Amino acid sequence: MSNRLPTLAIVGATGAVGSVMLDILSTRENVWGEIRLVASPRSAGKRLTVRGTEVEVQALAPEVFDGVDVAMFDVPDSVSAEWAPVAVERGAVAVDNSGAFRMEPDVPLVVPEVNRAQVRNRPRGIISNPNCTTLSMIVAMGALHARFGLEQLVVSSYQAASGSGQEGIDTLRDQTEKVAADRTLGERAGDVRAAAGDLGPFPAPLALNVVPWAGSLKDDGWSSEELKVRNESRKILGLPGLSVSATCVRVPVVTTHALAVHATFSQEVTADAARQLLGAAPGVTVQDDPAAGEFPTPADVVGTDPTWVGRIRQALDDPRSLDLFLCGDNLRKGAALNTAQIAEVVAEEHTTG
């Protein structure tokens, strides 16, 4: 146990998630002493504001982790794979937001509202943060599972452009600007594609369109994003045999993923019981009054922390199943916030022994 507040390093501080992280750290209860900002050599020397103080960005190197208690990584998989073990060697606990370690059996995949105790189960000194699509639903599904016993998930995601990074955001904005001027577009096959121009990271135009693809191609026609929803949900909930089927779709939204979920449980569950349970669950906000036009949409919940849940219905043909619609900001709870929450759990170890 120590009276010294732990030291935090943020690797990838200048990226899209890193900038959200600085905002989150500046608005949450402060549990950190020194905060070091780390990025690639080309970003070294930049000055960023965190907790009201300007901090100079340091270049990623082994010595930046000396004296660091927790190192948060918001960088590509290859960078995390190389540098998270270096941070651990230097004495830090690594909390990684990439996909490098998520499915490693000796690395816990943690959502504090669901499986907080797994933070201490880290034989390699590394804790993983789930994919943003999984995170947008798993807080709500974890609460329902704890009460009703989850057996099956059928999921359709509606994923924002920012899930593809800054390039995704820029591509959507550029395409939107191009197509907005022509009110005839969308009436003939190929006219939107011709007008949109550069597709960026997407296989088809995103403006005035939806694209049934996110991630990379895996076996039997599944995408990497769809398999992440399945594999990560199983690991987080501790249900290795959970039946999960996902279809991931990219939609013309800047930030905030949405999902339509059909969930089957081991016992009967009414919509009212689910509403009551979710209304009391940490990290969840229920917005569910269709008669008044009230349900979560990405444009209305972007920039907020909770998982928002609406359209809660008992399935028409199975009293053990629910249908619901969820939204979660993929840069906040879907990335930076969950990473910060994991790091705060680790920080408690330094102050409570």
Side-chain angles (χ1 to χ4, degrees), residues 179-265:
V179 303
D182 187 345
R183 296 173 70 95
T184 70
L185 290 176
E187 298 174 6
R188 295 179 305 281
D191 62 355
V192 172
R193 185 179 288 266
D198 183 12
L199 298 180
F202 310 117
L206 194 56
L208 298 185
N209 204 18
V210 297
V211 182
W213 190 258
S216 55
L217 180 63
K218 300 297 181 184
D219 291 346
D220 299 320
W222 293 95
S223 79
S224 57
E225 286 281 311
E226 290 159 351
L227 296 182
K228 285 175 189 175
V229 171
R230 177 176 184 258
N231 297 335
E232 294 178 19
S233 295
R234 289 174 157 192
K235 185 171 180 179
I236 295 162
L237 297 172
L239 295 171
L242 181 67
S243 171
V244 182
S245 184
T247 301
C248 291
V249 180
R250 196 72 72 180
V251 295
V253 166
V254 175
T255 294
T256 294
H257 290 347
L259 300 98
V261 176
H262 177 83
T264 301
F265 301 90

Side-chain angles (χ1 to χ4, degrees), residues 86-262:
V86 174
V88 173
E89 283 170 21
R90 296 276 172 149
V93 173
V95 182
D96 181 40
N97 190 37
S98 83
F101 303 100
R102 285 180 189 142
M103 298 314 299
E104 297 285 323
D106 51 359
V107 175
L109 186 65
V110 174
V111 181
E113 295 93 339
V114 180
N115 62 343
R116 175 190 176 100
Q118 286 297 310
V119 163
R120 288 185 178 262
N121 178 26
R122 49 171 198 268
R124 290 168 62 179
I126 300 170
I127 303 165
S128 255
N129 193 56
N131 172 267
C132 53
T133 314
T134 308
L135 262 170
S136 295
M137 71 164 185
I138 206 68
V139 178
M141 299 320 301
L144 290 168
H145 166 62
R147 172 64 181 83
F148 300 109
L150 186 63
E151 291 187 344
Q152 182 181 39
L153 282 174
V154 181
V155 179
S156 295
S157 72
Y158 308 89
Q159 295 180 217
S162 57
S164 291
Q166 190 61 46
E167 184 190 3
I169 296 173
D170 292 342
T171 298
L172 175 58
R173 292 197 187 282
D174 289 345
Q175 290 181 355
T176 302
E177 201 172 307
K178 289 174 183 172
V179 303
D182 187 345
R183 296 173 70 95
T184 70
L185 290 176
E187 298 174 6
R188 295 179 305 281
D191 62 355
V192 172
R193 185 179 288 266
D198 183 12
L199 298 180
F202 310 117
L206 194 56
L208 298 185
N209 204 18
V210 297
V211 182
W213 190 258
S216 55
L217 180 63
K218 300 297 181 184
D219 291 346
D220 299 320
W222 293 95
S223 79
S224 57
E225 286 281 311
E226 290 159 351
L227 296 182
K228 285 175 189 175
V229 171
R230 177 176 184 258
N231 297 335
E232 294 178 19
S233 295
R234 289 174 157 192
K235 185 171 180 179
I236 295 162
L237 297 172
L239 295 171
L242 181 67
S243 171
V244 182
S245 184
T247 301
C248 291
V249 180
R250 196 72 72 180
V251 295
V253 166
V254 175
T255 294
T256 294
H257 290 347
L259 300 98
V261 176
H262 177 83

Side-chain angles (χ1 to χ4, degrees), residues 22-66:
L22 299 188
D23 175 57
I24 285 172
L25 290 171
S26 299
T27 53
R28 289 176 69 79
E29 181 185 350
N30 183 38
V31 300
W32 304 106
E34 180 189 355
I35 294 182
R36 295 182 195 172
L37 306 184
V38 183
S40 62
R42 71 174 184 274
S43 296
K46 280 187 180 176
R47 301 185 70 83
L48 301 174
T49 300
V50 58
R51 299 184 300 182
T53 303
E54 274 201 352
V55 178
E56 186 171 320
V57 176
Q58 302 178 47
L60 181 57
E63 54 270 20
V64 301
F65 300 110
D66 290 344

